[in-house]
């Protein structure tokens, strides 16, 4: 952050610096290389990376500073008031020429066959700052190339310029020091240990930050040349962190996802799951045309035929058994707009509240929507972070990095109350294992109090279920106990990509879009949608499956989910699938569940669709289409509208932006989050918008779920509805009720 | 007539008791630990620091920095703090610390305990060059004996002062002589120099305040304390006080270590102490302070220059460095010497800085060609230019550098020296090897 | 898996205990490993990692920085011949050449060229398992190596520890 206008009223936290004759104000203690860059002077560099500690190894950023002897590296020199710095003098240029010529001494210059060719910092800076030709005519150093650091990452040691970015990332950021330099001098090379590959959930980041083509990813290797790559910025939907990324395609195939630095979310990092998962949309097993069961066989049919069939099933059930005989499971993998369209279809057009985006493997919507929320960035300034959920490294990898950084770099105390040891346990200041089902003892409260000490800032609780074996009621009671902690905020550790967006959009029993309860929002939504809202709260996943098993569900709509595989009580799931009259599956793959469907409708998947998604902190970010849909795949929201149309409701929506705007108009928590705003907000926006809060609180008057400050819900729903339902939830301890 | 009389202070015991100077008995019989006893009896740490400051003692590791001043940089009330002894002696042709460790370990230990007491530190480490196996045996034996006699450990000689000393063996890396690389190595890392600041005095070993001193420096401390700082400052010349153990090697009649009082001349060093050039040959050039600095030659200006740290720096653009003097006679090919030194630096570069990592290797390869009959006329200028990429103005001492530590720039000293004194000889050589411009560098 | 003998594992734990941070023990433990096993095997490095709380990659990274650690099997005798400048002009290269030729096929003897050994007063010089020998000629050098081979002289370990090892505190 820099600023040119002085701030007379504040204590001056900036200093005045002159670089190449240009004078500007820079933040105290800021590194010269960064301050200069933010003020339009690019100082060449290789080893320095904004998100890692400076090491001053490559010597590319040397500059002259008046009054300082020698040539300080801009990457290790903090700005000082009155500092006068020259990055263009003859001497500095000579040094830059020198460093580049030195770097090329042992570099193979095989750019034509190098993945990095065309997007290579070494290549670019040689053009911009280099001597042109090398005078080195001796024998170059030779290495066998390339070698495998892991199944994913390959290393060409001849191209390596020993900047140490990869080894420092592995150690400093990921905490997996599984690669290090070996040997020394110009034989120095990066290596993993004999039988131990570089198996890190974050290894792909090293490939991305390698300033040359030394590290390559098996997936991307030789797939395409940078100049025929075509890029859009988007958000990863592989988990609920939703890291910012740049999605790249070549001849209509997704080939690469690169991390984009977003201060509030991912600092530029991605996990390998997200980075390398993008290609699944091109899988041969994917269903890309509508199917319908014709004499016991799923046969490919036209969209109109499939949609008519699906609508027919729904209509039949409605007429014969009423709306409650229809239910929907899923919706956590689509966009907010997809979820909203289905919420409206189910709750308004059809009129059933038997809708659940979670498959019994998450937390009750009352809890997720009810607790005061933290933002990911709050971790950096937290007084303490309480870990009460699953292994973040497994479930929400880049959140794991953020929490680790808070603990290791920023000294934020970690209180580990999780049931079992996990990826962050090593960094915990206090560990107190709560056995499955066990209550949070007062001692745990003490531990949090002590850990926090008198550090300023909120206490952040990462709340989730350590395993599916544990009842959500435990997390719920823990949350209730923890809300006594002053200035506590929660991050709900739900895994599925857009589960928070789906809940916000109303895909949960008892809720309508915008974090309002069915009852509280009834008038408002009847106004917006028309008559026909369900009279009472419907069933959640567990209830739906039991009803199905009991033969009470006529039509089960499976929206991108697979209860057979994901519902904790597999036996119940199987009985349910057997007991349901007919299933309509909307999904890109045939699963244990959808194999039994009457109709299968292929939706577009990540990379093929645009819209918005919402991460675990409630941040709405845009996702963008990069490639044309495979085959006849249709967006979820359009499928919903087509079904609505066939059920007699003509919802006049033509584009996804119109849906985004309708959501902003009718769903309280989404107030103000218009397509126009989303186009502007690079880092997205956190719901509910602060500057709209008053209207929201006003507009949603007595909405029980929305807390006074608009940040979350009142706590009542938990008490009222939380526990009885859990009584027979799987794995629940008897004492829990 | 040249001076050849040593002024033995730190080398006195090992000369007086050639057969057992390193044993506890030999040492005690020659007054070892007396000064320690008095010092602890008086119990005035500040006074010890005062004496050391007053003595004008400058570090004998090569940087010639004032020891008293270095100690005073320790932040007043930050504990724990560490004293680290640099016994990694790896500078080519330097072999004084090895002698002091092998033949008078008790003097070193006494120096360490007194110095640790002076700077209020209770844990010292001796980083000993890994190849010094005998030195290691004798040092550990000496430590055990000293501990047994109560000169070491808890409540030393009833003074209430505690000190533990751990000997840490290196394992073959010249760069670990550089103090921050040494600290990295001592922490179990690759011996790569650290960024400064922070300087060790503020954040050194385990990020705690740390003093790093050379073996000879600390071996001198007991003598300063016993004779008094002022008296020690009387010895020597100008700001180069006291004596220096000079390691003389090469084509001299009497190579070896000589404890020399500052203020004599290089002529005294080479012809007096060193006994002159071997018969039938004449002096060609000499390295006045280890391998890392510029050479001097057979001129009165150089031979009559005073052996004084500052004089040499200001007037000859080189330094007394590690206190080693390497002498080469007229049978020597300066190109071969330059190549072998470059090979040394290329082999010992830690690899952290681009200019050193790649430049030392490049320079070694070119010098190899030149010294083996494959040079081309433009090679010397190429070397000068490549060298400038590591040390933009090596001709001045102290030179500037594009690297983190001074190892890289050291490889440029031989080049600058070749250019200064042997340009014509090289030109002739290259012409005669018949390859002319065809070989290498201009291609 | 344990690489160290029980005795050495106990020593190893003592050594680790000497330092405020256990990672500091990597070098001494690597020396100990070579005293026991005559080279620094992956098994040794894995156990050093376990004892010092470092990763195996870090232990390998550290050890590979230092020339005294042999990450490939080598002879029982490591003969280190200095060819740095003083030895260069007093016959070091000739000694190296002679011993090289003499022992290339002898897997008990590993001849290596090394940097200045701090024995220039007696150049040319060499070490046999880190025992110093000065003022050498090619023949004298060879006869010394032969003495070690025949046992006329007792050699130190390839990490330079007295053989048989004295177990004084402070060592290895
Ligand atoms: C490449 C390099 C090698 C060095 N080697 C040694 C050495 O072997 N022994 C030593 O005492 N100092 C050596 N030094 C100097 C140390 O960095 C440090 O200045 C010295 O140990 C401080 O002790 P002193 O003040 O008592 O001299 C070396 C410096 C450099 C740059
Ligand atoms: S100058 Fe050479 S030895 Fe010194 S830190 Fe840089 S690379 Fe390492
Ligand atoms: S970017 Fe500053 S030294 Fe590498």
């Amino acid at each position: 952050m820099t600023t040119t206008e002085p701030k007379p009223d504040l204590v001056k936290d900036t200093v005045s610096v002159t670089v190449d004759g240009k004078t500007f104000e820079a933040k105290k203690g800021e590194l010269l290389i960064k301050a200069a860059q933010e003020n339009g002077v690019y100082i060449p560099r290789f080893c320095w990376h904004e998100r890692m500690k400076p090491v001053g190894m490559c010597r590319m950023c040397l500059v002259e500073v008046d009054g300082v002897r020698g040539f300080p590296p801009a990457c290790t020199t903090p700005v000082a008031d009155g500092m006068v710095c020259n990055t263009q003098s003859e001497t500095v240029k000579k040094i830059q020429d020198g460093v580049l010529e030195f770097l090329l001494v042992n570099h193979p210059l095989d750019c034509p066959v190098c993945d990095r060719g065309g997007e290579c910092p070494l290549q670019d800076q040689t053009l911009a700052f280099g001597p042109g030709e090398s005078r080195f005519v001796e024998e170059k150093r030779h290495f066998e190339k390339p070698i495998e650091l892991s199944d994913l990452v390959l290393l060409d040691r001849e191209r390596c310029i020993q900047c140490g970015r990869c080894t420092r990332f592995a150690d400093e950021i990921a905490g997996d020091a599984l690669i290090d330099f070996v040997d020394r001098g110009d034989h120095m090379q990066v290596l993993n240990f004999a039988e131990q590959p570089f198996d890190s959930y974050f290894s792909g980041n090293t490939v991305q930050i390698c300033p040359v083509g030394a590290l390559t990813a098996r997936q991307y290797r030789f797939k395409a040349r940078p100049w025929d790559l075509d890029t859009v910025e988007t958000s990863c939907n592989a988990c609920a962190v939703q890291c910012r990324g740049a999605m790249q395609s070549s001849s209509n195939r997704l080939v690469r996802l690169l991390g984009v630095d977003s201060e509030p979310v991912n600092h530029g990092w991605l996990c390998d799951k997200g980075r390398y998962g993008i290609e699944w949309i091109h899988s041969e097993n994917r269903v890309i045309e509508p199917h319908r069961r014709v004499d016991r066989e799923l046969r490919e049919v036209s969209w109109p035929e499939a949609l008519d069939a699906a609508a027919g099933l729904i209509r039949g059930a409605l007429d014969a058994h009423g709306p409650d005989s229809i239910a929907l499971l899923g919706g956590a993998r689509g966009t907010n707009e997809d979820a909203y369209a289905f919420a409206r279809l189910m709750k308004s057009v059809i009129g059933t509240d038997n809708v659940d985006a979670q498959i019994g493997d998450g937390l009750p919507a009352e809890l997720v929507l009810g607790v005061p929320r933290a933002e990911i960035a709050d971790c950096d300034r937290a007084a303490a972070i309480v870990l009460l959920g699953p292994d973040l490294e497994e479930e929400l990898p880049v959140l794991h990095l953020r929490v680790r950084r808070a603990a290791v770099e920023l000294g934020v105390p970690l209180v580990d109350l999780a049931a079992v040891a996990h990826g962050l346990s090593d960094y915990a200041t206090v560990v107190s294992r709560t056995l499955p089902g066990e209550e949070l003892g007062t001692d745990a409260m003490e531990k949090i109090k002590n850990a926090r000490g008198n550090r300023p800032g909120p206490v952040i609780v990462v709340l989730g279920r350590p395993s599916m074996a544990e009842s959500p009621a435990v997390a719920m009671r823990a949350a209730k106990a923890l809300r006594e902690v002053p200035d506590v905020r929660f991050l709900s550790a739900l895994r599925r990509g857009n589960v928070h967006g789906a809940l916000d959009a109303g895909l949960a029993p008892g809720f309508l879009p915008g974090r309002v309860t069915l009852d509280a929002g009834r008038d408002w939504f009847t106004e917006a949608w028309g008559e026909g809202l369900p009279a009472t709260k419907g069933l959640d996943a567990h209830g739906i499956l039991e009803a199905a098993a009991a033969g009470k569900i006529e039509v089960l709509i499976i929206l991108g989910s697979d209860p057979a595989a994901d519902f904790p009580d597999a036996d119940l799931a199987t009985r349910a699938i057997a007991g349901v009259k007919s299933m309509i599956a909307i999904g890109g793959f045939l699963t244990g569940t959808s194999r039994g469907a009457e109709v299968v409708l292929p939706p577009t998947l990540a990379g093929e669709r645009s819209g918005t998604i919402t991460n675990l902190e409630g941040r709405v970010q845009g996702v963008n289409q990069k490639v044309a849909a495979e085959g006849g795949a249709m967006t979820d929201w359009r499928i919903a509208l087509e079904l609505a149309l066939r059920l007699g409701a003509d919802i006049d929506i033509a584009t996804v932006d119109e849906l985004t705007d309708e959501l902003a108009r009718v769903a309280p928590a989404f107030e103000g989050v218009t397509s126009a705003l989303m186009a502007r907000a690079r880092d997205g926006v956190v719901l509910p918008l602060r500057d709209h809060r008053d209207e929201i609180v006003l507009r949603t008057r007595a909405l029980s779920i929305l807390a006074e400050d608009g940040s979350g819900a009142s706590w009542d729903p938990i008490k009222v509805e939380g526990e009885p339902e859990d009584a027979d939830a799987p794995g629940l301890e008897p004492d829990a009720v | 007539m040249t001076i050849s009389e040593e002024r033995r202070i730190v080398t006195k015991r090992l000369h007086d008791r050639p057969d057992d100077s390193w044993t506890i008995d030999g040492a005690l019989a020659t007054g070892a630990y007396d000064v320690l006893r008095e010092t602890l009896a008086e119990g005035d740490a500040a006074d010890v620091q005062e004496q050391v400051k007053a003595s004008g003692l400058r570090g004998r590791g090569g940087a010639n920095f004032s020891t008293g001043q270095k100690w005073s940089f320790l932040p007043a009330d930050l504990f724990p703090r560490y004293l680290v002894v640099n016994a990694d002696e790896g500078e080519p042709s330097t072999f004084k610390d090895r002698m002091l460790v092998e033949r008078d370990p008790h003097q070193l230990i006494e120096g360490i305990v007194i110095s640790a007491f002076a700077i209020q530190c209770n844990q010292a480490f001796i980083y000993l060059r890994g190849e010094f196996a005998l030195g290691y045996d004798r040092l550990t034996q000496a430590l055990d004996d000293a501990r047994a006699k109560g000169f070491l450990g808890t409540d030393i000689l009833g003074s209430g002062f505690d000190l533990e000393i751990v000997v840490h063996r290196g394992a073959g890396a010249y760069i670990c002589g550089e103090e921050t690389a040494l600290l990295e190595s001592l922490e179990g890392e690759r011996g790569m120099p650290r960024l400064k600041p922070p300087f060790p005095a503020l954040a050194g070993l385990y990020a705690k305040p740390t003093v790093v001193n050379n073996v000879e420096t600390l071996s001198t401390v007991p003598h300063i304390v016993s004779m008094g700082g002022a008296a020690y400052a009387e010895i020597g010349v100008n700001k180069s006080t006291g004596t220096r153990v000079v390691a003389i090697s090469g084509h001299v009649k009497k190579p070896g270590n000589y404890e020399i009082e500052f203020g004599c001349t290089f002529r005294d060093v080479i012809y007096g102490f060193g006994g002159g050039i071997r018969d039938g040959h004449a002096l060609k050039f000499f390295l006045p302070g280890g391998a890392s600095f510029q050479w001097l030659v057979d001129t009165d200006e150089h031979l009559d220059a005073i052996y004084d740290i500052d004089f040499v720096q200001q007037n000859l653009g080189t330094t007394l460095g590690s206190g080693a003097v390497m002498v080469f006679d007229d049978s020597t090919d300066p190109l071969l010497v330059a190549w072998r030194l470059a090979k040394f630096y290329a082999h010992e570069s830690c690899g952290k800085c681009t200019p050193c990592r790649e430049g030392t290797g490049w320079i070694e390869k070119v010098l190899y060609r030149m010294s083996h009959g494959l040079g081309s006329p433009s090679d010397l200028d190429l070397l000068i230019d490549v060298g400038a990429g590591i040390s933009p103005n090596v001709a001045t001492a102290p030179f500037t550098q594009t690297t983190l530590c001074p190892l890289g720039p050291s490889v440029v000293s031989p080049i600058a020296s070749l250019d200064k004194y042997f340009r014509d000889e090289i030109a002739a050589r290259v012409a005669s090897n018949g390859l002319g411009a065809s070989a290498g560098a201009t291609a | 898996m344990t690489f160290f003998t029980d005795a050495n594992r106990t020593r190893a734990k003592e050594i680790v205990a000497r330092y405020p941070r256990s990672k500091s023990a990597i070098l001494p433990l690597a020396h100990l490993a070579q005293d026991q096993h005559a080279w620094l095997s992956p098994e040794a490095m894995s156990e050093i990692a376990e004892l010092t709380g470092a990763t195996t990659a870090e232990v390998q990274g550290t050890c590979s920085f230092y020339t005294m650690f042999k990450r490939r099997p080598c002879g029982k005798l490591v003969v280190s011949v200095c060819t740095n400048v003083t030895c260069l002009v007093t016959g070091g290269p000739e000694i190296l050449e002679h011993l090289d030729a003499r022992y290339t096929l002898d897997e008990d003897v590993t001849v290596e060229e090394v940097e200045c050994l701090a024995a220039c007063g007696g150049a040319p010089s060499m070490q046999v398992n880190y025992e110093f020998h000065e003022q050498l000629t090619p023949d004298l050098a060879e006869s010394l190596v032969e003495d070690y081979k025949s046992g006329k002289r007792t050699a130190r370990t390839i990490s330079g520890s007295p053989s048989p090892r004295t177990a004084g505190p402070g060592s290895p």
Side-chain angles (χ1 to χ4, degrees), chain B residues 59-61 70 86 88-90 174 177-179 212-214 217 406:
Chain B
R60 306 295 194 226
K70 182 184 278 189
N86 191 335
D88 194 49
E89 191 171 58
Y174 163 68
E178 193 282 333
E179 58 187 2
V212 181
N213 273 133
N214 165 263
T217 310

Side-chain angles (χ1 to χ4, degrees), chain B residues 5 46 55 60 90 142 146 154 178 181 198 223 341 378 441:
Chain B
E5 190 58 32
S55 74
R60 306 295 194 226
T154 52
E178 193 282 333
H223 305 284
L341 289 176
S378 56

Side-chain angles (χ1 to χ4, degrees), chain B residues 19 32 42 44 58 62 144 166 187 195 204 333 340 394 414 422:
Chain B
D19 305 329
E42 282 160 23
D44 187 347
R58 292 164 78 170
D144 295 346
V166 169
E187 290 184 13
L195 295 166
D333 170 6
R340 188 58 186 80
V394 76
F422 304 107

Side-chain angles (χ1 to χ4, degrees), chain A residues 138, chain B residues 333-343 363-376 379 383 418 425-426 428-436 439-440, chain C residues 83 85 88 93-94 96-97 113:
Chain A
E138 326 296 328
Chain B
D333 170 6
L335 269 174
L336 201 65
V337 172
W339 161 66
R340 188 58 186 80
L341 289 176
K343 186 179 174 192
I363 289 169
E364 185 270 325
K365 291 187 172 80
V366 175
L367 278 169
Y368 178 84
R369 277 199 289 106
M370 296 174 75
S371 56
H372 290 71
L374 297 167
S376 83
D379 281 342
L383 286 177
L418 289 178
E425 180 178 336
I426 292 169
R429 275 274 295 288
V430 171
S432 74
N433 75 34
L435 289 164
Chain C
T83 60
V85 285
L88 175 76
E94 292 70 19
L96 177 65
E97 207 172 311
E113 178 181 22

Side-chain angles (χ1 to χ4, degrees), chain B residues 57-67 70-71 84-91 94 96-97 127 129 174-182 193 196 211-218 244 292-293 322 344-345 405-408 410:
Chain B
L57 175 66
R58 292 164 78 170
R60 306 295 194 226
N64 299 308
F65 192 83
S66 156
T67 305
K70 182 184 278 189
W71 291 4
V84 175
V85 186
N86 191 335
D88 194 49
E89 191 171 58
E91 182 76 8
T94 311
K96 60 181 181 84
D97 294 338
Y127 190 97
R129 181 173 173 182
Y174 163 68
I175 187 59
C176 290
E178 193 282 333
E179 58 187 2
T180 60
L182 183 152
K196 297 189 211 168
V211 166
V212 181
N213 273 133
N214 165 263
V215 168
E216 185 184 352
T217 310
L218 292 170
R244 178 102 217 231
S292 305
F293 308 99
S322 65
F344 168 74
Y345 290 113
C405 93
L407 185 147
S410 302

Side-chain angles (χ1 to χ4, degrees), chain A residues 54-59 62 69 71 76 94-95 99 101-103 105-106 135-139 161-162 180-186 188, chain B residues 172-173 190 192 195 347-355 357-359 362 365-366 369 385-386 392 398-404 440-441:
Chain A
V55 284
M57 285 176 76
C58 74
R59 317 305 288 175
L62 301 195
R69 196 170 173 285
F71 316 95
T76 63
K94 182 108 178 36
I95 291 174
V99 171
E101 194 178 16
F102 285 133
L103 283 174
V105 159
N106 278 307
R135 295 165 297 173
F136 181 82
V137 297
E138 326 296 328
E139 167 93 11
I161 59 167
Q162 289 83 13
D180 197 356
F181 283 125
V182 301
D183 300 335
R184 68 187 190 206
D186 62 6
M188 186 163 82
Chain B
R190 301 164 53 80
M192 293 178 151
L195 295 166
H347 182 253
E348 298 300 333
S349 166
C350 82
K352 194 170 189 176
C353 314
T354 305
R357 183 183 66 242
E358 306 294 342
W362 185 357
K365 291 187 172 80
V366 175
R369 277 199 289 106
D385 200 56
V386 171
F399 47 70
T400 60
Q401 60 199 56
T402 62
T403 54
L404 231 126

Side-chain angles (χ1 to χ4, degrees), chain A residues 450-511:
Chain A
N450 301 338
R452 163 184 231 165
N454 44 21
R455 289 174 60 94
V459 165
I460 295 178
V461 176
V462 181
L463 184 64
R465 281 161 71 180
S467 76
M468 289 314 109
E470 174 163 312
S471 152
V474 178
M476 211 170 341
R477 278 189 303 275
K480 261 195 280 179
L482 286 164
R483 79 174 180 208
E484 304 307 333
V485 176
D487 193 8
V488 67
R489 318 256 177 98
F490 292 80
L491 284 172
S492 63
L494 301 180
R495 182 169 93 262
R496 288 216 177 74
N498 195 37
V499 61
H500 296 86
L503 298 182
D504 282 352
L507 286 186
F511 285 92

Side-chain angles (χ1 to χ4, degrees), chain B residues 98 129 136-137 169 186 189 206, chain C residues 24 118 156 159 170-172:
Chain B
R98 179 190 148 209
R129 181 173 173 182
Y136 182 75
D137 297 347
R169 283 183 72 190
L186 193 42
E189 305 289 338
Y206 310 119
Chain C
S24 283
R156 296 169 173 271
S159 238
S171 37

